[in-house]
Amino acid sequence: MPGPVMLGRFFSAMILLSSTLAIAEVRAACNNTATARSCWGDYDISTDYYTDVPDTGVTRTYYLSLNNVTLAPDGYSRYVMAFNDTIPGPTITADWGDTVEVIVTNNLANNGTALHFHGLRQNYTNAQDGVPGVTQCPLVPGASYKYTWRATQYGTTWYHSHFSLQFGNGAYGAIVINGPTTANYDYDLGPITIGDWAHEDAFYLFSVNTGAPPAAENGLINGTNKYDGSGSYFSTTVESGYRYKLRIINSGVYAHMKFMIDDHTMEVVAADLVPIEPYNASYIDIGLGQRYDVIITMNQTADNYWIRAIPQVTCTNNANYAYILGILRYSSASNTSADPTSSGYTYTDACDDETMSLTPYLSKVVGSTSTASGTLPVAFSPASGSTAQHWKMNGTNMIADWADPSLLMIEEKNSSYPSSYNVVSINGTADDWAYFVIEASNAVDHPMHIHGHDFWVLARGTGTFSGSLSTYAGTNTPRRDVVMLPASGYLVVAFPIDNPGAWLIHCHIAFHVSEGLSLQFVERYDDIAGNTAAVGVDSTWNSTCTAWDSYISSTTIDQDDSGI
């Protein structure tokens, strides 16, 4: 029998081993697995990602070349603008906390370009937001530029050209930032882009448009569909009994969609880049630029089922609205190549928005200290001497100057912005908040997107807002970066003034923003005037403006829209 000293060492060793195992078990419980998707190493779904981000030390680099190419996404061959010759372009994938470098080369003929990373806050990296005439000069043909940003958020979003109507010609792709989730699942099926698709060049359609955006001939799901007997359906294969995560992105130009998979219920777990309290839905409304992460349990009879992206004719024209389809195939179906015979859910055609039913998992209440507020009316009127329409926000039809972006003016300590820049100045500190009422005087729905922030959505309705903004302080309202402004209605939104720079807010209907439906918030000018290095401006950024000035001195570039 061991003596007292040996016994003491024995029990001490057992205690140490027990403690080590306990710690190992705790750490294992925080691994992101099929039964613990809320975990993420030393972080989890309750981490305040606005202030606390993993330091992975990982840099992920992607190369994107924007090319003129002829493709036939739905079997109909047409000229497009595509990243790396595909629609959608390559998916940018990162983990929460990674640094991402995206090196963009402009191989277009007679077109500038710039790349926007939709929904990313770009906190203190305003120069990387990719909006020509606002945060940068365009890249000239043949030039390359490296965008660098930190994945401080997680979830699903997308990138697209913000140079005029280029993304309407196919210049877009998905972004997946892996992180925790508010419900468990077995496998991630990845992003599914949905959107309308025209058979004519977007710039041509804009040039002949004199009213509502023209009806597209078709729509795409993950860059493909059938048309007039040609083309092919997107399809994905699953196994019975498992739970799969899907990341749905409305990357379209005009179409507000309802998305569904026949006979399957979706558990909705995130909206835009905001994790939410899960809820079940047979279908979801998804406006332009919006994203939803959903989880689906494959518990139906092993068969093939239609995936449907349905433009809502209440606010959208589309010639093939009932046949924008993909296929979900069970691996154990008796025939894994047959078209489905399933039927879709019954729905009411409407341009609804899920927003006001969303509850963010991470509670972030609205602040009470306001240094900026006001009403921003949205209206339209015919352009002077033209049959074209102009949209106005806050009384102005915004037109960007590609050669003199707002951020360059801030660098030069020049706050005398031309009226066409449609600037609303917001001053204060990071603890202050801005409140705005956006009101539409016309019977048109608008998906409103803000750069550099999430909207705290305080109220949404038809008619005129008559409430008191002070009643919303201290509440955990829905948050997201795209929200539907109802036809002849209003939105009441707020956000903290915590991100200095020039930030665009605009309608995401491509033709509307080209017709001027946008403005820009210049946020905390005094903090960065003459010091834009604090938000990412460097010599390479400045060289894009030098190159653009040289390019336009010898080349005629027609800017016949807002430029963004």
Side-chain angles (χ1 to χ4, degrees), residues 2-13:
V5 173
M6 291 298 293
L7 280 173
R9 289 175 178 171
F10 173 79
F11 286 118
S12 295

Side-chain angles (χ1 to χ4, degrees), residues 345-518:
Y345 288 103
T346 300
Y347 66 91
T348 299
D349 189 284
C351 294
D352 293 329
D353 193 351
E354 308 279 331
T355 296
M356 299 315 292
S357 62
L358 306 177
T359 302
Y361 185 87
L362 174 69
S363 178
K364 297 284 288 184
V365 300
V366 179
S368 58
T369 304
S370 171
T371 62
S373 63
T375 298
L376 306 174
V378 170
F380 71 88
S381 60
S384 177
S386 169
T387 58
Q389 286 187 161
H390 274 176
W391 283 96
K392 295 182 178 182
M393 189 171 185
N394 203 31
T396 299
N397 166 249
M398 182 176 172
I399 300 175
D401 183 347
W402 292 328
D404 195 16
S406 305
L407 193 56
L408 180 61
M409 294 186 67
I410 295 169
E411 169 65 18
E412 296 169 346
K413 299 183 180 180
N414 181 3
S415 59
S416 298
Y417 313 105
S419 59
S420 60
Y421 281 28
N422 205 8
V423 168
V424 173
S425 295
I426 301 176
N427 298 307
T429 71
D431 295 325
D432 294 323
W433 284 66
Y435 292 77
F436 289 100
V437 179
I438 306 172
E439 290 186 341
S441 61
N442 47 81
V444 179
D445 298 90
H446 300 281
M448 301 303 297
H449 172 51
I450 190 170
H451 292 213
H453 292 278
D454 286 327
F455 285 127
W456 272 246
V457 186
L458 312 186
R460 178 179 181 273
T462 56
T464 302
F465 177 70
S466 59
S468 171
L469 296 178
S470 63
T471 61
Y472 297 101
T475 58
N476 179 34
T477 70
R479 297 192 305 273
R480 65 184 318 162
D481 59 72
V482 182
V483 62
M484 296 298 296
L485 171 62
S488 302
Y490 62 84
L491 281 176
V492 184
V493 297
F495 53 89
I497 308 171
D498 61 358
N499 199 5
W503 301 111
L504 200 65
I505 175 174
H506 63 96
C507 174
H508 225 285
I509 296 173
F511 290 91
H512 288 182
V513 70
S514 282
E515 292 162 350
L517 208 173
S518 57

Side-chain angles (χ1 to χ4, degrees), residues 66 68 105-113 138-144 163 166 547-548 551-552 555 557:
L66 184 55
N68 297 118
T105 299
N106 178 14
N107 285 326
L108 300 179
N110 302 317
N111 258 275
T113 199
L139 305 185
V140 302
S144 297
F163 187 96
Q166 287 178 356
W548 184 257
Y551 177 67
I552 62 176
T555 306
I557 296 291

Side-chain angles (χ1 to χ4, degrees), residues 218-231:
N218 204 358
L220 305 177
I221 296 180
N222 264 5
T224 189
N225 195 19
K226 287 189 173 183
Y227 180 80
D228 198 23
S230 298

Side-chain angles (χ1 to χ4, degrees), residues 77-102:
S77 182
R78 56 153 291 193
Y79 155 90
V80 304
M81 298 172 172
F83 288 106
N84 296 15
D85 295 345
T86 64
I87 298 176
T91 297
I92 293 173
T93 303
D95 288 339
W96 181 25
D98 288 351
T99 295
V100 179
E101 297 177 342
V102 183

Side-chain angles (χ1 to χ4, degrees), residues 1 9 113 130 158 162 179 188 210 214 221 232 266 281 328 362 485:
M1 181 175 180
R9 289 175 178 171
T113 199
W158 59 308
H162 226 305
D188 191 333
T210 59
I221 296 180
S232 61
M266 293 179 285
L328 178 78
L362 174 69
L485 171 62

